Structures are given as structure tokens and as C-alpha cells.
Amino acid sequence: MIQAVDVEKTYPDGTAALQGLNLSVERGEMLLIRGPSGAGKTTLFRLILGMERPTSGAVFIDDQRIDANNPGRVRALRRRVGVIFQNFRLIKGRTARENVEIGLRVLGVTGGHMRGRAEEYLRELDLAHRIDARVDSLSWGEQQRVAVARALAREPEIILADEPTGNLDEALSDRVLELLSRVRERGATVLVAIHSPDVLRKTALRVISLKSGRLVGDTHPPAQKERSRS
Ligand SMILES: Nc1ncnc2c1ncn2[C@@H]1O[C@H](COP(=O)(O)OP(=O)(O)O)[C@@H](O)[C@H]1O
Ligand SMILES: [Mg+2]
């Protein structure tokens, strides 16, 4: 479903952020992308989102090439993707509820459905008491959870989560990963960038490792290996 073929990304200042990257992620797969800061995790997400073009090579979603020069196609693909950005990108001055609802409205989910779904996901992330608080008055961890709720509430086919557990304590971090797994059980394809070794120790997921823009590891847990062989 998501494929990177011989992808190189060199930024205009000469930084080689990704080099010779080949990666294939199947529909309904959940994958952790690990690697230290600067390894290229966010760049990979930006390429998948059509926010950047690869310097060479190509990225495909369902055999459709993502081309940042084709804004119509990028827009159509983005409707299918829920993103949790590393720096959240919430709309300041708006409440938690409004931030989640705006993401739904652009998908055509409005009225009672929109309000119900926004509340459901904010509650799920323990934000019931903060639903009508402006996001700039929320703590860092609370803002992070609003960003998670906003992405999940869209019930997208693909979720890109850029270090969604970065500043959360262990219990909340487990909860976020569990919510992401649940979305995956519904059939979504989930990519999670991560650097916390705590999360990695107990995971039963496929983990790819990036180092200085190169893929240096790809481990499938036994259960997933069985499935992909059949
Ligand atoms: N807009 C940019 N211009 C120049 N260099 C960039 C830009 N964005 C990221 N980089 C560089 O590309 C490399 C990979 O960055 P990034 O993809 O953000 O890594 P990660 O998310 O794994 O920390 C780093 O060396 C970073 O400094
Ligand atoms: Mg990053």
C-alpha cells in the first residue's frame, strides 16, 4: 500500500536526509520506525504526505505516485491519511473540541456526528474535562493527546504518527500505542516514528531502523511474518 522505491532526499542545503531507501508497507500493517534524532523519520513522513519531493526515486500509495507537483492528487491522498505531527500543529486560540472538529468537517462529517465523534476520541484520550479549553492553555502532554484525537477521529486508512509518545508518561504512551493498534485492527495502515527504547522493548510489531538516512534494520515479529508469507 505504501512503497518507497530507491528514495533519496537531499535538502537544498546539501543535507542527505534519506539515501537509497526501499520500503514496502502492506495494507493493515503497523510499523514502528526507530532511529535517533536526524535519522530521517520526519522526512519520510513528509515525502509520504507530498509535502516534499524526493530528490530521486518515488513514493507510491496504492500504486499512485505521490507527486508534490500535483496538488489535486496530494489533496485526495491526504484525505485518507491521519497525521500526528511531531510539533502537533494545533490551531492556537481554538479549543480541543474545535481542533478535532475542523479535521472532521473537511471530510464532510458535520453536525451531531462531528460533535459525537470529537467527544468520543477526546474522552478516549482522557481529555473529557479539557474538551472546551483552548489548546494553548493545555499542557504539552495534553496538546499531544489532542493531536492524537484529531488524527484518530478522522478514522483514516493510513496513520502517520511522528513520535506521538515522545513526552508522555509510560501509562499514557501505552494508551496511545494501544489506540493506534485498535485503529490498525479496523484495517488501517499505521506508521509510528519512535525513539523510546522502552516502547521498543515490549513491542510485538515490525520495526524498521533508520540511521543517517539509511535503512539499517527491518525485523518482522513471527506472527506478521507468517501472515505475509501466506
Ligand atoms: N528543511 C530542511 N532543510 C535542511 N535539512 C533538513 C530539513 N529538515 C530536516 N533536515 C535534516 O535532515 C536530516 C533528517 O531530519 P529528520 O527527517 O527531521 O530526522 P528525524 O525526524 O529522524 O529526527 C537531519 O540531518 C535534519 O537536520
Ligand atoms: Mg522527526
Side-chain angles (χ1 to χ4, degrees):
M1 136 156 272
I2 300 175
Q3 234 184 332
V5 181
D6 294 332
V7 168
E8 311 269 346
K9 177 65 188 178
T10 303
Y11 285 108
D13 68 357
T15 307
L18 290 173
Q19 303 179 68
L21 181 75
N22 285 288
L23 177 68
S24 183
V25 184
E26 286 172 45
R27 183 179 295 278
E29 193 169 23
M30 180 160 169
L31 169 72
L32 300 184
I33 302 166
R34 67 178 290 199
S37 175
K41 306 181 294 295
T42 298
T43 299
L44 175 59
F45 284 173
R46 292 171 62 82
L47 292 174
I48 294 172
L49 286 165
M51 294 166 74
E52 296 279 354
R53 308 184 69 193
T55 308
S56 62
V59 179
F60 299 88
I61 294 183
D62 285 342
D63 300 326
Q64 273 211 322
R65 185 176 183 151
I66 301 167
D67 182 349
N69 284 353
N70 183 338
R73 183 183 284 185
V74 169
R75 245 194 323 273
L77 288 170
R78 289 244 190 111
R79 291 174 67 88
R80 303 165 55 193
V81 183
V83 193
I84 302 159
F85 289 101
Q86 199 164 7
N87 49 6
F88 317 148
R89 300 201 186 188
L90 298 174
I91 303 167
K92 300 221 163 58
R94 299 298 191 97
T95 65
R97 174 202 299 280
E98 287 166 338
N99 266 275
V100 177
E101 287 183 354
I102 288 162
L104 292 173
R105 205 174 285 128
V106 298
L107 294 181
V109 180
T110 56
H113 285 296
M114 173 181 75
R115 283 191 295 278
R117 223 199 272 179
E119 280 179 23
E120 176 192 336
Y121 280 89
L122 287 164
R123 266 178 221 293
E124 192 87 66
L125 285 144
D126 276 357
L127 288 167
H129 60 302
R130 304 299 271 151
I131 282 182
D132 292 308
R134 283 169 43 141
V135 291
D136 25 316
S137 73
L138 301 180
S139 75
W140 188 260
E142 286 169 339
Q143 290 186 37
Q144 190 160 31
R145 283 180 281 148
V146 175
V148 174
R150 181 180 57 182
L152 297 187
R154 292 162 61 91
E155 301 183 347
E157 285 170 61
I158 299 169
I159 295 201
L160 304 181
D162 201 351
E163 303 196 21
T165 62
N167 298 280
L168 301 180
D169 63 34
E170 195 181 335
L172 274 172
S173 157
D174 286 351
R175 177 96 60 89
V176 167
L177 285 174
E178 191 213 303
L179 276 169
L180 290 169
S181 312
R182 247 193 275 160
V183 183
R184 181 259 194 110
E185 279 158 22
R186 268 203 336 252
T189 306
V190 183
L191 274 62
V192 190
I194 221 131
H195 70 260
S196 159
D198 293 344
V199 172
L200 291 169
R201 259 199 295 280
K202 54 191 174 200
T203 190
L205 297 167
R206 177 180 174 195
V207 180
I208 68 160
S209 303
L210 287 179
K211 194 175 172 192
S212 306
R214 294 189 180 278
L215 189 65
V216 293
D218 188 347
T219 59
H220 288 252
Q224 280 197 13
K225 224 184 258 166
E226 291 303 320
R227 211 179 308 150
S228 62
R229 227 185 271 138
S230 61

